[in-house]
Amino acid sequence: MAHSLPQELSVAPRGPLTGTLQVPGDKSISHRSLMFSALAVGTSHITGLLEGEDVLATAAALRAMGATIERTGDGAWRVDGVGVGGLLQPATALEMGNSGTSTRLLMGLVASHPITATFTGDASLSGRPMGRVIEPLSQMGADVTASPGGKLPLMLRGLCPAVPITYTLPVASAQVKSAVLLAGLNTPGITRVVEPVATRDHSERMLRGFGADITIEESDAGRIIAIRGEAELRPQTITVPGDPSSAAFWLVAASIVPGSDLVVRNVGLNVTRTGLVAALRLMGADITELDRREVGGEPVADLRVRHAPLTAIDVPPDLAPSMIDEYPVLFVAAAFAKGRTVARGAHELRVKESDRIAAMKAALEACGVPCEEYEDGLAITGTGGDAIPGGGRIASQLDHRIAMSMTVAGLHAARPVTIDDVAPVATSYPVFYKTLDEVSEEA
């Protein structure tokens, strides 16, 4: 799956952002909905699925391994699963595009099946490390031949029966945790993951909903998640809540653009994903929850956000796991706060679609925002609510979150901000710019 040709975009202020919008389905839950449905025996139905390139890469890979996945006429999705242990040998390489989640979680699935799969990806994904997943899956018996540095392309030969392990996560990573749990689904005995720092728990919630025997207990070493293998998953009807990572751009945009008043509907508020909301509120953001409810086993609410003066803070490092994907747009919020914001504890940003610490420092400095770089974050001196100077040309580095974050920055800049390529936004939020037109005066 290749990206389209580069799409340069110049972003200038459009006035207040107003109205109501709904963000696409949660990307993490969308991936897992397809994977768990593909491993169930029977037919599952999914509504609200994110139809971005990353999730479609997951669907294509699962089809290649035997699942039937189709979009129905009403915008819902139907998945006829093959059952745990039923994945078939793919005839060709699995093309992952830009999706690290697809790659790492599908590696976990393949690891305990008697099949061999080759994983490929675009230039950005091929630069991202897979060693953190290769290590535990190798302990379970999978044979992995990777490119130098533990990167794509790689070939993974699964082992069946695989070996159950107890694995302590060396880094806080929901993807690594999920890969091991998915491998454990088809592994006899009990596979355990010890999580010293809690990460998003969508896999645990959804596996339980599909009927897996999974337990979670707290210990001095952290959370211990145990899954009993050779599971039989039951098909489900799933409603995917709105993605808080996509909502993040609107929460920051409405906070910094004077006169803005937005309602973002159906936002997932799983406690493992709400770090940005907590950080923005600490900075003084005006964010109100409306109609809190449960959708598909996940807490959701409509969020009303109005322009408010932001004040610099030292971002609590313990928020990092619950907003790791939102740091780029948090850096943008800091650029408009009064004072010097220090946001650290985010080592993972170095190994995302780009080095998001270096990329955002370069982008903000190109727009006249003073930054200081740390190994695990940035310190940013804000304008106190005034427009940033702007005028920079931004390298998005094939990273959708860099492109969208700097689009937000350009909405309150003295001179237009030019982004070299916004095409990668289609990986997670295909209608982002259409939605921006709808909620701005430039509609």
Side-chain angles (χ1 to χ4, degrees), residues 140 164-165 180-193 203 207-208 212-216 224-231 233:
M140 298 180 76
I165 62 172
V180 176
L181 294 176
L182 289 172
L185 276 175
N186 197 42
T187 299
I190 298 176
T191 298
R192 295 179 177 86
V193 177
S203 291
L207 283 168
R208 184 177 289 117
D213 183 353
I214 186 168
T215 61
I216 302 169
I224 302 175
I225 305 107
I227 190 164
R228 185 177 297 278
E230 299 178 308
L233 302 187

Side-chain angles (χ1 to χ4, degrees), residues 58-419:
T58 289
L62 293 169
R63 288 190 192 101
M65 292 187 285
T68 300
I69 302 174
E70 58 186 11
R71 190 179 192 274
T72 59
D74 55 1
W77 289 72
R78 171 183 169 138
V79 181
D80 293 314
V82 298
V84 172
L87 294 179
L88 303 178
Q89 173 70 43
T92 59
L94 303 179
E95 171 54 58
M96 297 290 97
N98 190 239
S99 182
T101 302
S102 303
T103 306
R104 295 184 177 116
L105 270 60
L106 288 169
M107 285 172 64
L109 283 187
V110 171
S112 57
H113 282 73
I115 61 178
T116 299
T118 298
F119 292 84
T120 61
D122 68 10
S124 172
L125 183 61
S126 297
R128 298 176 66 182
M130 297 297 155
R132 61 184 55 183
V133 180
I134 294 171
E135 170 61 25
L137 297 182
S138 296
Q139 290 182 27
M140 298 180 76
D143 181 16
V144 183
T145 303
S147 297
K151 298 176 181 178
L152 299 188
L154 65 77
M155 182 176 69
L156 190 152
R157 181 178 294 107
L159 177 67
C160 186
V163 180
I165 62 172
T166 296
Y167 188 71
T168 300
L169 295 178
V171 295
S173 172
Q175 292 180 3
V176 178
K177 171 180 65 176
S178 297
V180 176
L181 294 176
L182 289 172
L185 276 175
N186 197 42
T187 299
I190 298 176
T191 298
R192 295 179 177 86
V193 177
V194 182
E195 191 175 47
V197 177
T199 64
R200 59 186 66 177
D201 64 352
H202 302 307
S203 291
E204 297 96 302
R205 287 174 181 254
M206 295 184 69
L207 283 168
R208 184 177 289 117
F210 273 84
D213 183 353
I214 186 168
T215 61
I216 302 169
E217 63 179 87
E218 300 294 336
S219 74
D220 292 342
R223 296 172 74 233
I224 302 175
I225 305 107
I227 190 164
R228 185 177 297 278
E230 299 178 308
E232 182 169 326
L233 302 187
R234 300 184 296 266
Q236 300 293 307
T237 297
I238 302 164
T239 300
V240 180
D243 195 327
S245 296
S246 296
F249 301 104
W250 306 114
L251 299 182
V252 172
S255 293
I256 66 173
V257 175
S260 295
D261 187 347
L262 279 179
V263 175
V264 187
R265 297 186 59 244
N266 200 42
V267 181
L269 292 180
N270 183 307
V271 70
T272 64
R273 301 287 300 281
T274 55
L276 179 76
V277 173
L280 289 176
R281 284 175 169 159
L282 289 173
M283 298 173 77
D286 183 354
I287 301 172
T288 305
E289 293 179 18
L290 308 174
D291 188 20
R292 192 174 177 104
R293 57 202 183 273
E294 190 169 285
V295 172
E298 295 273 349
V300 306
D302 303 334
L303 298 181
R304 183 182 185 187
V305 55
R306 288 171 282 192
H307 173 253
L310 302 181
T311 301
I313 61 169
D314 286 349
V315 179
D318 60 359
L319 290 179
S322 62
M323 63 170 182
I324 197 67
D325 286 332
E326 289 75 72
Y327 267 87
V329 79
L330 175 68
F331 295 152
V332 171
F336 295 90
K338 181 180 180 180
R340 185 173 184 266
T341 295
V342 180
R344 302 190 62 176
H347 298 85
E348 283 296 288
L349 296 182
R350 295 288 187 185
V351 291
K352 291 289 186 177
E353 282 84 336
S354 67
D355 178 341
R356 287 178 173 164
I357 294 173
M360 285 303 298
K361 178 177 186 288
L364 290 171
E365 287 185 335
C367 292
V369 179
C371 301
E372 181 180 354
E373 182 174 349
Y374 302 101
E375 180 58 32
D376 59 348
L378 292 176
I380 297 166
T381 302
T383 64
D386 294 336
I388 60 172
R393 179 178 173 81
I394 309 304
S396 67
Q397 300 189 27
L398 294 178
D399 191 328
H400 54 132
R401 299 204 192 277
I402 303 300
M404 286 186 282
S405 296
M406 292 310 297
T407 296
V408 171
L411 297 176
H412 193 31
R415 291 179 293 157
V417 173
T418 301
I419 303 164

